[in-house]
Amino acid sequence: MESHEEKPIIYTMENKPIVTCAGDQNLFTGLYGLLSQQLPREPMEWRRSYGRAPKMIHLEANFVQFKEELLPKEGNKALLTFPFLHIYWTDCCDTETYKASVKEDMQRWQGALRLHGSTDWLVVVVESDGKKKNKTNILPRTSILDKIRNDFCNKQSDRCVALLDPLKDSSRSQESWNSFLTKLRTLLLMSFTKNLGRFEDDMRTLREKRTEPGWSFCDYFMVQEELAFVFEMLQQYEDALVQYDELDALFTQYVLNFGAGDGANWLGSFCQPVRAWSGLLLRRPIDMEKREVIQRGEASLLDLRSYLFSRQCTLLIFLQRPWEVTQRALDLLHTCVQELRLLEVSVLQGALDCWVFLSCLEVLHRIEGCCDRSQLEANFSHTVGLWTYATEKLKSLGYMCGLVSENGPSSEELNRTVDLLAGLGTEKPETVNSLQSPYKKLKEALSSVEAFEKHYLELSHAALEMYRAIGRLRSGRLVGKSLAEFYMRKGDPQMAQTFLQDALKSYTAEGWSLPITHTRKQIAECQKQLQKTEDYLQTSALLASDANLSDEERKHFCQEILTFASQASEGKALLLHRPELDKDMTAFAQLRELQFHPSAATVHIGAALQLELRLCSLMPVPVHLEQLVCTVHYSEIRPAPAGSQRRPALSPDGTVTFPATSPSRGAAPGPAAPALELQEIQDRSPSDNALNSTGVVCKNVHLLMRINDNPASLDPPSAAASAITVEDGAEMLKANDVTLLPGNNSIVFSAPAGSYTLRQLCATVGQVQFVLPHIYPIVQYDVYSQDPQLTVEPLTESLLAGLPQRVKFTILTGNYTVKKGDALQLSNSDSMPILHSSACSACILTNQVGEASVSIQSSEKVTSISLPQTPPYHTLEFQLEVLCHIPSAPARAESERLTNGEVRHRPKNRTRYNSGMASIDQKVSVDCPWSIYSTLISLTFYTPFKAQHSLLSAGKRKYIQVCLRNVSDTNFRLANQTLADHQCTPSLQLLSLNAKTHQLVYSKQCVYSLWEVKWATEPPSCLQCVFTASFSPADAPDTALKPYRYEFQIERVTTLYSVKAEIQPAVGEQHCHAGALCRLEVSITRVMDPSEAEREDEEYTESEGLRTTKLMYEVVDNSSNWAVCGKSSGLVSMPVAAMATHKVQMEVMPLFAGKLPFPSIKVSKYLAHSAPPTTQPEADSCLENDNLSLLDKGLEDQGDTASLRSRGSVHSLGSGEQQQRGPPMPRLESFSPGQVFNCSMARQVLVLPSTDDHVLEVNVT
Amino acid sequence: MALVGSWLYNICLAVVCVVPTQNELKFHYTVHTSLDVVEEKVSAVGKALPDQRELYLGLLYPTEDYKVYGYVTNSKVKFVIVVDSSNTSLRDNEIRSMFRKLHSSFTDVMCNPFYNPGDTIQSKSFDSIVSAMMVQSS
C-alpha cells in the first residue's frame, strides 16, 4: 500500500443561512461580532413537519446587508441564497427621530418584504443608557418599542425585540441578549420550517409530475439537491444524505423501468455513448464541473453517478462512516456496469474497466486519506473488495491491451490502448502533484508490459495479503489462481504451480468437483511445461478419469499417459525401475471388489485358491497392462482355525467390497475426523420429575469444532500420493498382459502357499506403474502347508499294566503323501512288548472313511508298522495292542511299613484318582518316514493292584495275611493265590487257610488271604515270601490269566514277650466304679529263650550274673477312658530267660461307666546310651511321666509321638554316626509287630457308674 | 444456487444451477468464495443467543455479475443462492422464502435413513423442488 502524500482536504460547506440586516448598519456592525459568536452557542430544538423526529441544532447565520435584490424572485427555487430572516436594526430612542426617518425607512423595508411575500422579519431596538443620558427629556424607553409594535406588528408583537446595553457586561444586558438570541433562533427555525416545508411541497409536486412528457430528471435533481445543500448547510448530513439516496433510488428505478421497457424521454441523454471514463473524483466537496453538466442536461450516466456518489461520499465521511463508502462504492461500480449494459450504452471496450479501476483506487485513496493505518488494517474486509475489483479490472485491461502475452502488444492492441488513454482526459488538478494518483497508475500500467506486471502484481499481492489477514482464504485462493493464470501467460509455470496447487488443495478438501477439474487442468498444463513428467502423469491420470471433462479431453490425457509409456519402452529396451514413475492408482482404476474361490480364503497347499479382483478402470479407452501385480505380505502367525474372525471384511461368499472413493474428492475427511460422540440428555424438573426438555449433546464438540474453525483445515491432510512406495522383495501375485476396458474388469490370480495379507496393487503400463499403496480393509488368505503329525493315545481312559491294552495311533498326513512301503519303526522295550494281532486295520479319514490294512513286522529290536498309502491332508488311524509287565520287584514303598501295619505312600509316587495307583512310564521311540528325527512317545500304565501284607500272632503261632486291593476301575477275576517262601527253608511250612481258589475282586475292593507259618525247629529270623496270583478282567472270561506277583520280607517273626494286663477294683469293691481308683497290674513275660540271632542282636546287661534286658512299658489310653495316677510308664529289667515275668502295678481311674476297653500297654526296648552302661537317674526322670497326667492330653498327638519315636529309633539305628556324635542319650526301640503278644488286647472291664451322681461328668466330643 | 453442506467441513453437497454451462465454472468459484463471507457472518452471528439467531444471512456480497445470498442452518449447513445481478425481481423477501423452502427440502433429504451425511445429495425430489424454485424465480 502506498503512502498517501497529499494533505487531507477539508471539505466543509462555506454556506450558512442568509439573514439580511436593514436599518442602522453601523449599529449592526458593532454588534455583528458578538452576534455571530453567540448564535450557535446553544442548540435549539427543531420540530419538523411530516412526523420527522425533532432535532437539536446549532444555528449559524450569514448576516448580510439587506438589498432588495437578495429577495428571491418568483419561481426562483434556489434555497442556498434564500434569506431566511430579515432583521431591522435601530437604536432610535426619541419619538422625533422615529417619526422623522426611522418609521419611514421601516415602512419601505416592510414594503419590500411584503412585495416578495416574506414574513420572516424582526425589528431589533437597541437601547443603551449612554444615549438616554444625552437626551434627558425623553419618553420612557418603552415608548419607541411600543410605537414600533403598534405600527408594524399588529398581531405579532414578538417580532419586535429590545436589546439592552448589548456592549456592556451586565446581567441585564446578558439577560436581554439571551432573550434576543432565543427569539432569533426561534424565528430562524420557524422560517426554516416554513420555507423548507414549502420547498419540499414544491419539490414533491415536481416529482409527481415525473410521468409528464417534459419532465427532466436533471431539473428535479437540481431541486432536490438544493434541499440537500440546505440540510448540509444546517449540518444535517443525515438528511442531506437521504436526499441524495432518494435521487439515487429514483434514478435506479428509472433505469430498471427502462430495462423493463418503460422508457422515459429524459433518459435518452444518459444513453449517449460514453466518451470519458476518468473515474470518480472524490477530492472536492462539490464537483461543480459535473454539476453544471447535469444542470445543462448533458450528463452521461457515468457523470451523474459519479457526481451523486461523490456527494454521498462527502456526506458519509462527514458522518464518520468511511466503511460505508467502500461498500457503496462497490455497489455503485457494479450498478454502473449493469446499468450501462441495461441501457445498451455503447462503450469502448475496456473503457469501463478503466473507469472501474480508477474509481476503485480513488475510493481507496479517499478512505486512506481520512483513516489511519491501524483503522485501515482493522477494516480490510471493507476495502479488500475494491482491491480485488481493481485487480480484476487491471488484469482484464492487461489482457485486452496485450500486456500479458510474452511478445508484447500487437499494433491493434496498441491502438486500443491509445483509445483508452484518450478517454481518460487530462489529469484533474487535484492530483497532478500526487505521484501515486490512480490516473498516473493506470497510465503507467498501460504504458508497458513491465509496468503493467509491476502494478498488477502489486495489486494482487495486496489483495492476497488482505484476504489472508482477514481469513478469507478461499477468496485469496481465487486471487492466487488468477495470478497463476497470469504467470502462465507470462510463461512462468513455476510460479503458477504454487498458486494452483494451493487452490487445488482447498477445493479438494471441500469437494468442489468442477473447480478441481478446472484447476487440475491448469496444473497439468503447468507440469507439462515444467517437464515434471511424474506429476504430469499423475495429473493426467486424474484428468483422464474425471467425469467432469468431455470424452475428448479425457482421451487426450489418457493418450498422454499411453504415449509416454510406449515411448519409453520403445526407446530403451532395458529400463531400470524408476520409482518416481509410480503413480497412485486411485485415479487410474479402482479396486471395487475382491473375491476368493473358495470363499473361506483358506485352502491347503494342494488345492487352488483363486483371487478374483474386480477393477473398475476409469480410463476412457482400453488400456493394455503389461503386468498387474498384487503384492502380498507373508504373515508369520499361523492362522487360527476360525479364520473368519480374522477377516472381518470377508463376506460369506468370499467377497470383499471396497468403498468407492472418487479420485477427485481425494482424501475424504471422514476417516480423519473423530467420530461424533453423542449423548442423550434429559432435563427433568426437580419437583415432579416431569420431562422439561430432552436433546442430544455432542460430547466432543471441542475436538470437532476446532477442526472446523481452524483456517488450516482448508489444507487437506497431506495427500497419500506423495508417499507411494512399492514394497520390494515381497511375494506377489502376477497377471501378465491384461487389457483393462473402461468400466469393470475382472482379473484372476492364483495364490501361492502361505498365509498372506494383500498389500499393494500395481499396474504396469510401459514404464509407468500405477500403484494402489494400501489395500484396505485388510484382506488375508491362507494357503497352508501342514507337517504330518503322529499322535498316540490310549483307547481307554487309562492304561493298565499287566493286561494287553489298545493304543490308538493317529497320523495327520498334512502335506505328506504316505507312499507304499512307508513304515513306522517302533523301538521295542522288554517291559512293553507290542502284541501282534492278526487283524489290524487302519482307517483313512477325510470326508469319507476308507479302510486299509496295516501290517506289523517285528524283529528283535524294532517293530515296523507299514502304513497304507494315504493322500495328503488325511487322517490315518489304527490301533495297536501293547502289554506292560507289572514290575516284579517289590516297590520299595511297600516294604516300608509303619508300626500300625499300614503302608505309607511315598509322595513321590504318582497317584491317580487318590487310589494310589502306581504308574509306570513307558517310552517308545518312533521313526517316521517323513522325518529324520525320532518321535518319542510316552505311555503311562497303571498297576491295577496294590498288595499289603501283615504278620499276625496268636501267642507263639504266626500268620501271614496278604491284602490285595484292586485300585483300578475294572473288576478282576483272581485265581491261584499262593504264598511261597523265597528261600525254600525245609523246616518252614506255609499253611494256606484260604477256602476259595477263584475270587472276584471288584473295583476299589480288597481280597484278603491268610497263611499260617509253621516251623519245625528254630523259627526263622527273617521270612522272604512271594505272593503270586493270576488275574484276568472279570468281563472277559476267555482271556488268559495274567500273573501278579508280590514279594515281601518279614523279619523277627518270633514272639519274645507276652504282656498281660489285669484291672481289679479297689479293695472291698466288687466292681470298678467310675471316678474310683482301680488297680492295674501289668505282667510282662518272656516267652522263650533268646535265639542265636537275638543274642547277637539285642543288648543285654549283665548284672549279678543274670542277663537282663531293659524294657520300657507305657500305659496309653487312646480313648481317654482312663486316667493313670502316678507313673504311666516305666522301665523294667527283664531277665533273658523263658518264662521270666515282671509285674508292674499302678493305679488307674476309669472316667466313665460301662464296658471299658483296657488301656493299651506298649512295650519297647530301652537302649541306654552305650558309653556308660550304668543307668542314669536323670534319664529315668526324663522319660517317665511322674505326674498324674490325664492320658487324654496326649490323645491327639499320641499316634504321632509313637510314630516319631519309632521313626527316631529307626533313624538312629540306621545312622550310627549320628548316635556317636550326638549327646549320649538313652533311646527306645520298638519291637517288630510279631515280637510282643498282648494277651489282653481286646479285653474289657465293667465299670459301674459312680455312686456320686452329681459328679458325673459328661463329655461330649 | 448451491448447497454447501457442512456438518463440520465445508463439503460441497449439491450444486444446482440453471446457468449456461460456460458460466458454471465461474458460478462454482463464486459460491466457493462466498463461503468466506458466510463464515465471517456466522462467526459474528454466533455470538448472539441461539434462539435469536437469524438463519438468513442476507446478501453476502455483490459481484459484477451475481448477487450472492447466504443462509446457515443451526447445524452449520450453508446454503448459498446466487442470483444474476440483472435479475431485479427477486427481493430480499423472495430470497428468504426460497431459503426456507430449500431448508425444509434439505431437511427431508437428511431424514432419509439411506443418506450418508457428507455425501453429495442425490435425491430426485430435492432436485425437482430446487429446480422448480429456480425456474419459477428466474
Side-chain angles (χ1 to χ4, degrees):
Chain A
M1 286 219 267
E2 67 245 77
S3 61
H4 200 65
E5 288 158 30
E6 304 106 298
K7 288 204 165 165
I9 307 154
I10 300 154
Y11 304 83
T12 47
M13 192 105 177
E14 298 301 322
N15 294 328
K16 290 172 188 167
I18 291 170
V19 176
T20 63
C21 301
D24 192 339
Q25 288 301 315
N26 293 330
L27 175 68
F28 172 69
T29 318
L31 293 170
Y32 172 72
L34 262 177
L35 185 60
S36 59
Q37 195 193 337
Q38 295 280 341
L39 184 62
R41 193 161 282 175
E42 276 180 38
M44 271 304 275
E45 192 187 63
W46 185 20
R47 293 171 209 273
R48 325 218 4 231
S49 54
Y50 297 108
R52 281 174 281 192
K55 282 191 171 174
M56 301 300 284
I57 59 172
H58 293 267
L59 286 167
E60 272 185 283
N62 189 10
F63 296 95
V64 296
Q65 193 177 359
F66 176 77
K67 285 171 194 152
E68 261 202 75
E69 304 92 86
L70 281 175
L71 292 173
K73 313 226 164 26
E74 194 62 42
N76 189 349
K77 305 275 189 207
L79 267 179
L80 276 183
T81 53
F82 184 84
F84 284 96
L85 191 62
H86 308 277
I87 306 177
Y88 192 90
W89 297 86
T90 180
D91 59 352
C92 176
C93 54
D94 63 304
T95 333
E96 299 310 312
T97 328
Y98 172 70
K99 278 181 179 162
S101 56
V102 177
K103 188 177 178 182
E104 204 176 321
D105 194 34
M106 280 177 75
Q107 270 167 345
R108 214 178 309 129
W109 176 67
Q110 281 274 324
L113 290 181
R114 212 171 296 127
L115 197 64
H116 290 93
S118 176
T119 52
D120 305 305
W121 52 269
L122 177 68
V123 177
V124 186
V125 181
V126 181
E127 290 171 1
S128 59
D129 294 341
K131 257 194 171 174
K132 268 190 215 166
K133 279 173 194 165
N134 290 345
K135 317 228 167 149
T136 45
N137 243 357
I138 48 167
L139 288 163
R141 67 162 194 263
T142 48
S143 61
I144 289 291
L145 197 65
D146 290 339
K147 266 195 174 346
I148 295 175
R149 276 192 183 143
N150 273 337
D151 292 344
F152 298 100
C153 335
N154 33 2
K155 276 165 194 163
Q156 303 157 284
S157 59
D158 58 334
R159 295 238 171 223
C160 190
V161 291
L163 193 58
L164 299 178
D165 291 331
L167 296 172
K168 284 198 179 159
D169 194 15
S170 67
S171 63
R172 192 156 153 264
S173 133
Q174 200 62 49
E175 203 178 301
S176 84
W177 259 118
N178 280 347
S179 68
F180 165 67
L181 284 172
T182 314
K183 178 69 74 185
L184 185 59
R185 287 182 193 128
T186 316
L187 287 175
L188 255 179
L189 279 180
M190 273 171 62
S191 168
F192 286 154
T193 315
K194 191 167 68 188
N195 288 301
L196 290 183
R198 193 187 302 143
F199 187 86
E200 279 178 359
D201 288 345
D202 290 348
M203 190 180 81
R204 253 173 236 120
T205 321
L206 187 58
R207 191 160 63 196
E208 291 314 310
K209 287 180 188 158
R210 64 184 181 272
T211 44
E212 289 172 16
W215 192 82
S216 160
F217 176 78
C218 290
D219 293 346
Y220 176 73
F221 183 92
M222 287 303 151
V223 173
Q224 187 155 8
E225 194 187 21
E226 201 71 29
L227 189 62
F229 282 154
V230 173
F231 282 124
E232 190 183 347
M233 181 172 79
L234 297 174
Q235 296 178 347
Q236 299 306 304
Y237 302 117
E238 198 72 56
D239 292 282
L241 187 61
V242 167
Q243 306 312 316
Y244 284 110
D245 287 349
E246 277 178 20
L247 282 171
D248 195 340
L250 186 65
F251 186 73
T252 307
Q253 194 54 51
Y254 264 105
V255 175
L256 288 182
N257 291 352
F258 184 85
D262 180 18
N265 286 340
W266 56 267
L267 259 175
S269 69
F270 292 103
C271 295
Q272 59 190 301
V274 175
R275 286 192 200 86
W277 38 86
S278 52
L280 292 174
L281 186 64
L282 304 175
R283 285 157 211 258
R284 301 174 190 167
I286 301 171
D287 186 353
M288 291 313 282
E289 270 174 58
K290 287 249 164 58
R291 187 162 193 271
E292 275 157 27
V293 175
I294 295 168
Q295 208 160 14
R296 286 201 302 272
E298 291 166 1
S300 68
L301 185 127
L302 285 186
D303 288 336
L304 179 77
R305 284 287 184 195
S306 303
Y307 177 72
L308 202 53
F309 184 73
S310 76
R311 292 296 301 138
Q312 288 169 327
C313 171
T314 308
L315 292 170
L316 284 170
I317 287 173
F318 281 145
L319 288 167
Q320 308 277 318
R321 281 145 63 178
W323 310 121
E324 204 176 326
V325 176
T326 59
Q327 191 62 47
R328 281 166 175 250
L330 211 50
D331 282 340
L332 165 87
L333 299 178
H334 292 146
T335 318
C336 285
V337 174
Q338 285 294 323
E339 285 178 346
L340 286 176
R341 211 177 282 163
L342 194 66
L343 296 176
E344 292 163 342
V345 174
S346 76
V347 188
L348 182 68
Q349 193 195 0
L352 270 182
D353 296 337
C354 286
W355 186 77
V356 170
F357 176 78
L358 289 173
S359 303
C360 284
L361 291 193
E362 177 70 15
V363 174
L364 290 170
H365 274 223
R366 182 74 186 85
I367 298 301
E368 277 164 27
C370 65
C371 296
D372 59 24
R373 203 178 169 74
S374 61
Q375 259 178 307
L376 274 176
E377 275 172 14
N379 288 284
F380 274 155
S381 55
H382 295 102
T383 52
V384 72
L386 286 170
W387 281 103
T388 318
Y389 203 20
T391 315
E392 266 170 41
K393 289 303 169 188
L394 186 62
K395 184 186 170 194
S396 91
L397 279 173
Y399 279 74
M400 203 180 295
C401 301
L403 295 167
V404 186
S405 60
E406 282 169 278
N407 307 323
S410 63
S411 61
E412 191 195 338
E413 287 162 339
L414 279 175
N415 280 337
R416 193 178 291 153
T417 314
V418 170
D419 288 347
L420 284 176
L421 288 177
L424 295 179
T426 52
E427 188 163 14
K428 298 287 183 307
E430 285 91 343
T431 59
V432 164
N433 298 322
S434 154
L435 290 172
Q436 293 275 351
S437 69
Y439 179 85
K440 288 207 185 71
K441 264 192 192 167
L442 182 59
K443 257 199 158 160
E444 196 187 322
L446 294 182
S447 66
S448 73
V449 174
E450 292 76 27
F452 172 78
E453 183 173 345
K454 173 179 159 274
H455 283 285
Y456 175 64
L457 291 184
E458 192 180 300
L459 279 174
S460 296
H461 285 293
L464 262 180
E465 280 299 314
M466 287 186 208
Y467 277 134
R468 203 162 296 157
I470 58 173
R472 291 195 190 176
L473 293 182
R474 296 180 188 85
S475 314
R477 293 274 147 80
L478 197 60
V479 175
K481 259 202 76 203
S482 170
L483 257 176
E485 275 159 31
F486 171 77
Y487 279 124
M488 284 301 285
R489 288 284 284 264
K490 298 289 285 182
D492 188 357
Q494 189 69 53
M495 290 292 279
Q497 205 196 1
T498 356
F499 287 110
L500 289 173
Q501 293 284 14
D502 278 354
L504 182 64
K505 259 189 224 165
S506 142
Y507 300 138
T508 314
E510 299 181 359
W512 292 82
S513 70
L514 227 52
I516 289 170
T517 310
H518 181 239
T519 312
R520 204 168 261 157
K521 240 162 82 182
Q522 291 174 320
I523 290 178
E525 187 56 36
C526 232
Q527 287 166 337
K528 196 176 185 183
Q529 286 187 18
L530 284 171
Q531 308 234 307
K532 286 192 176 174
T533 322
E534 309 84 49
D535 296 339
Y536 179 60
L537 284 173
Q538 180 69 59
T539 315
S540 296
L542 285 167
L543 286 168
S545 61
D546 199 325
N548 283 328
L549 289 178
S550 66
D551 269 1
E552 285 69 34
E553 282 173 301
R554 291 177 60 181
K555 276 178 189 155
H556 163 75
F557 284 111
C558 187
Q559 203 51 53
E560 290 279 313
I561 302 172
L562 296 179
T563 314
F564 178 80
S566 60
Q567 256 179 12
S569 54
E570 279 165 20
K572 304 166 200 171
L574 274 171
L575 253 176
L576 286 174
H577 176 67
R578 291 167 65 188
E580 66 271 18
L581 290 177
D582 299 337
K583 297 291 145 258
D584 191 5
M585 192 188 260
T586 28
F588 173 74
Q590 286 179 358
L591 184 57
R592 285 285 161 82
E593 227 175 49
L594 189 149
Q595 191 169 13
F596 286 106
H597 305 282
S599 57
T602 306
V603 296
H604 60 72
I605 198 153
L609 176 68
Q610 281 194 334
L611 185 63
E612 188 180 339
L613 292 184
R614 307 230 168 89
L615 272 180
C616 178
S617 169
L618 300 168
M619 293 294 115
V621 290
V623 180
H624 177 78
L625 300 181
E626 268 130 65
Q627 205 177 47
L628 185 66
V629 172
C630 184
T631 322
V632 289
H633 182 256
Y634 182 71
S635 316
E636 291 294 330
I637 317 130
R638 297 293 299 177
S644 56
Q645 284 180 339
R646 301 181 59 214
R647 300 184 194 90
L650 203 63
S651 69
D653 61 339
T655 314
V656 181
T657 312
F658 296 92
T661 51
S662 130
S664 55
R665 278 290 281 272
L676 280 175
E677 281 177 34
L678 296 176
Q679 198 179 37
E680 188 184 339
I681 54 150
Q682 291 186 341
D683 178 24
R684 292 180 182 279
S685 83
S687 54
D688 55 349
N689 204 31
L691 192 63
N692 279 344
S693 68
T694 180
V696 177
V697 162
C698 178
K699 284 170 75 186
N700 54 351
V701 97
H702 55 287
L703 285 176
L704 302 162
M705 298 314 282
R706 189 175 59 208
I707 295 162
N708 191 24
D709 292 343
N710 192 357
S713 67
L714 281 183
D715 301 325
S718 62
S722 59
I724 292 179
T725 49
V726 180
E727 289 172 4
D728 285 334
E731 277 127 304
M732 45 185 71
L733 313 173
K734 274 188 195 175
N736 288 331
D737 291 321
V738 181
T739 303
L740 281 187
L741 299 172
N744 285 326
N745 294 270
S746 145
I747 300 116
V748 178
F749 296 99
S750 57
S755 174
Y756 289 105
T757 311
L758 301 186
R759 294 298 284 268
Q760 290 189 333
L761 198 60
C762 176
T764 313
V765 184
Q767 76 176 120
V768 183
Q769 287 197 336
F770 291 97
V771 179
L772 180 65
H774 300 291
I775 296 178
Y776 186 86
I778 291 167
V779 180
Q780 283 193 332
Y781 69 84
D782 303 310
V783 177
Y784 57 84
S785 64
Q786 194 182 29
D787 289 334
Q789 278 184 321
L790 169 70
T791 47
V792 178
E793 52 191 1
L795 208 58
T796 49
E797 201 177 357
S798 58
L799 292 172
L800 292 176
L803 285 173
Q805 297 284 302
R806 290 188 91 79
V807 170
K808 190 170 86 173
F809 281 68
T810 310
I811 298 169
L812 298 169
T813 52
N815 58 353
Y816 180 80
T817 314
V818 180
K819 296 177 284 289
K820 193 172 184 183
D822 280 342
L824 296 179
Q825 309 282 342
L826 275 67
S827 64
N828 289 347
S829 99
D830 291 333
S831 58
M832 193 191 77
I834 287 153
L835 302 179
H836 299 244
S837 68
S838 51
C840 184
S841 71
C843 200
I844 301 165
L845 300 162
T846 38
N847 294 331
Q848 303 96 5
V849 178
E851 288 279 325
S853 66
V854 176
S855 63
I856 300 168
Q857 278 152 3
S858 174
S859 70
E860 196 175 324
K861 298 221 167 135
V862 175
T863 305
S864 142
I865 304 162
S866 60
L867 303 170
Q869 281 173 291
T870 317
Y873 298 102
H874 281 61
T875 309
L876 188 66
E877 278 181 8
F878 58 90
Q879 292 175 3
L880 223 54
E881 263 190 341
V882 291
L883 178 73
C884 178
H885 294 300
I886 299 171
S888 54
R892 278 195 61 204
E894 290 170 1
S895 70
E896 201 176 280
R897 287 167 153 264
L898 300 179
T899 43
N900 53 6
E902 274 183 0
V903 176
R904 229 165 23 103
H905 298 304
R906 287 205 315 202
K908 260 192 285 180
N909 245 16
R910 276 216 280 150
T911 55
R912 281 186 50 166
Y913 317 127
N914 297 324
S915 63
M917 278 170 95
S919 67
I920 305 145
D921 278 344
Q922 285 292 343
K923 293 213 164 58
V924 185
S925 95
V926 183
D927 287 329
C928 306
W930 53 81
S931 169
I932 55 163
Y933 302 106
S934 304
T935 315
L936 206 61
I937 291 162
S938 175
L939 293 171
T940 308
F941 292 88
Y942 296 91
T943 320
F945 298 110
K946 184 172 257 180
Q948 288 167 1
H949 65 272
S950 47
L951 181 69
L952 306 174
S953 312
K956 285 184 191 175
R957 294 169 80 178
K958 295 288 166 181
Y959 301 90
I960 293 173
Q961 189 192 48
V962 175
C963 167
L964 191 68
R965 176 183 285 272
N966 179 3
V967 286
S968 75
D969 295 327
T970 327
N971 302 333
F972 288 107
R973 236 157 11 97
L974 203 65
N976 309 329
Q977 301 160 53
T978 50
L979 187 73
D981 178 24
H982 215 283
Q983 291 158 322
C984 300
T985 319
S987 60
L988 197 71
Q989 205 182 349
L990 289 169
L991 209 66
S992 171
L993 301 175
N994 303 315
K996 290 183 190 167
T997 53
H998 287 263
Q999 267 184 305
L1000 269 179
V1001 197
Y1002 291 100
S1003 170
K1004 310 283 186 254
Q1005 305 229 336
C1006 302
V1007 167
Y1008 291 89
S1009 333
L1010 194 69
W1011 285 267
E1012 186 178 355
V1013 187
K1014 285 186 172 173
W1015 53 85
T1017 55
E1018 182 118 320
S1021 62
C1022 172
L1023 271 177
Q1024 294 204 341
C1025 301
V1026 182
F1027 170 80
T1028 52
S1030 301
F1031 69 98
S1032 66
D1035 51 355
D1038 314 338
T1039 47
L1041 292 168
K1042 299 288 167 189
Y1044 178 77
R1045 209 175 136 83
Y1046 173 60
E1047 289 182 19
F1048 58 92
Q1049 182 176 332
I1050 303 171
E1051 286 172 345
R1052 294 172 201 162
V1053 183
T1054 343
T1055 309
L1056 292 183
Y1057 301 100
S1058 89
V1059 178
K1060 195 175 179 180
E1062 205 64 58
I1063 293 179
Q1064 282 170 357
V1067 185
E1069 296 279 347
Q1070 205 166 5
H1071 291 288
C1072 301
H1073 284 271
L1077 284 177
C1078 312
R1079 206 149 44 86
L1080 172 69
E1081 190 185 80
V1082 177
S1083 63
I1084 303 168
T1085 313
R1086 175 87 194 188
V1087 177
M1088 58 183 293
D1089 288 326
S1091 63
E1092 287 299 316
E1094 200 180 0
R1095 249 172 228 139
E1096 294 157 17
D1097 190 36
E1098 285 182 29
E1099 211 176 298
Y1100 301 105
T1101 317
E1102 303 273 351
S1103 59
E1104 299 152 24
L1106 196 65
R1107 286 169 71 227
T1108 57
T1109 180
K1110 282 199 169 171
L1111 296 178
M1112 166 135 181
Y1113 67 88
E1114 285 174 273
V1115 179
V1116 176
D1117 180 32
N1118 285 346
S1119 46
S1120 64
N1121 291 328
W1122 300 92
V1124 183
C1125 303
K1127 285 183 182 175
S1128 68
S1129 59
L1131 281 180
V1132 289
S1133 274
M1134 286 291 293
V1136 187
M1139 298 321 286
T1141 305
H1142 201 288
K1143 286 190 178 171
V1144 183
Q1145 286 193 347
M1146 57 190 85
E1147 302 224 288
V1148 294
M1149 184 167 70
L1151 297 175
F1152 298 101
K1155 290 246 175 194
L1156 293 185
F1158 275 40
S1160 55
I1161 293 133
K1162 293 189 74 171
V1163 178
S1164 359
K1165 266 184 262 187
Y1166 179 84
L1167 301 177
H1169 66 274
S1170 45
T1174 49
T1175 359
Q1176 287 185 340
E1178 63 263 22
D1180 278 9
S1181 66
C1182 153
L1183 281 162
E1184 284 164 10
N1185 283 328
D1186 51 358
N1187 60 338
L1188 188 139
S1189 70
L1190 282 175
L1191 283 178
D1192 64 354
K1193 199 178 172 231
L1195 174 71
E1196 65 267 25
D1197 53 4
Q1198 188 272 330
D1200 269 353
T1201 46
S1203 68
L1204 266 173
R1205 275 179 200 148
S1206 69
R1207 235 177 290 161
S1209 62
V1210 168
H1211 194 81
S1212 49
L1213 265 181
S1215 56
E1217 287 177 3
Q1218 203 186 20
Q1219 190 200 358
Q1220 283 165 10
R1221 268 185 208 163
M1225 288 283 283
R1227 56 200 169 84
L1228 288 175
E1229 191 185 299
S1230 60
F1231 287 103
S1232 295
Q1235 282 182 311
V1236 178
F1237 177 69
N1238 195 342
C1239 295
S1240 51
M1241 179 74 146
R1243 274 190 69 182
Q1244 291 178 332
V1245 63
L1246 181 71
V1247 179
L1248 293 179
S1250 145
T1251 45
D1252 210 1
D1253 273 342
H1254 67 270
V1255 186
L1256 183 68
E1257 191 178 338
V1258 179
N1259 247 0
V1260 181
T1261 47
Chain B
M1 181 175 303
L3 181 62
V4 180
S6 156
W7 193 275
L8 297 167
Y9 304 88
N10 296 312
I11 301 160
C12 176
L13 289 183
V15 178
V16 191
C17 48
V18 277
V19 287
T21 33
Q22 70 264 24
N23 283 343
E24 195 176 340
L25 184 66
K26 190 178 173 189
F27 171 76
H28 277 246
Y29 281 126
T30 308
V31 175
H32 182 249
T33 322
S34 73
L35 290 181
D36 277 339
V37 190
V38 173
E39 280 180 0
E40 247 175 51
K41 293 215 175 195
V42 166
S43 64
V45 167
K47 283 154 196 156
L49 287 172
D51 44 343
Q52 291 165 355
R53 196 180 293 153
E54 166 72 280
L55 302 178
Y56 177 55
L57 299 175
L59 182 67
L60 297 177
Y61 69 98
T63 70
E64 205 174 294
D65 308 297
Y66 301 123
K67 280 182 260 183
V68 186
Y69 299 89
Y71 184 92
V72 174
T73 70
N74 281 324
S75 53
K76 302 276 188 296
V77 178
K78 290 141 192 149
F79 300 142
V80 173
I81 291 181
V82 181
V83 179
D84 203 288
S85 304
S86 58
N87 188 330
T88 50
S89 60
L90 288 173
R91 300 281 169 80
D92 220 38
N93 265 341
E94 279 91 354
I95 299 285
R96 195 187 289 257
S97 71
M98 275 169 82
F99 272 129
R100 286 216 190 98
K101 236 186 257 177
L102 192 61
H103 192 175
S104 80
S105 159
F106 175 73
T107 314
D108 290 346
V109 172
M110 285 294 150
C111 291
N112 178 359
F114 298 103
Y115 175 75
N116 192 9
D119 284 0
T120 307
I121 292 173
Q122 285 166 325
S123 153
K124 274 183 196 166
S125 66
F126 180 75
D127 276 358
S128 68
I129 287 172
V130 175
S131 308
M133 200 156 70
M134 286 192 293
V135 169
Q136 194 184 13
S137 62
S138 59

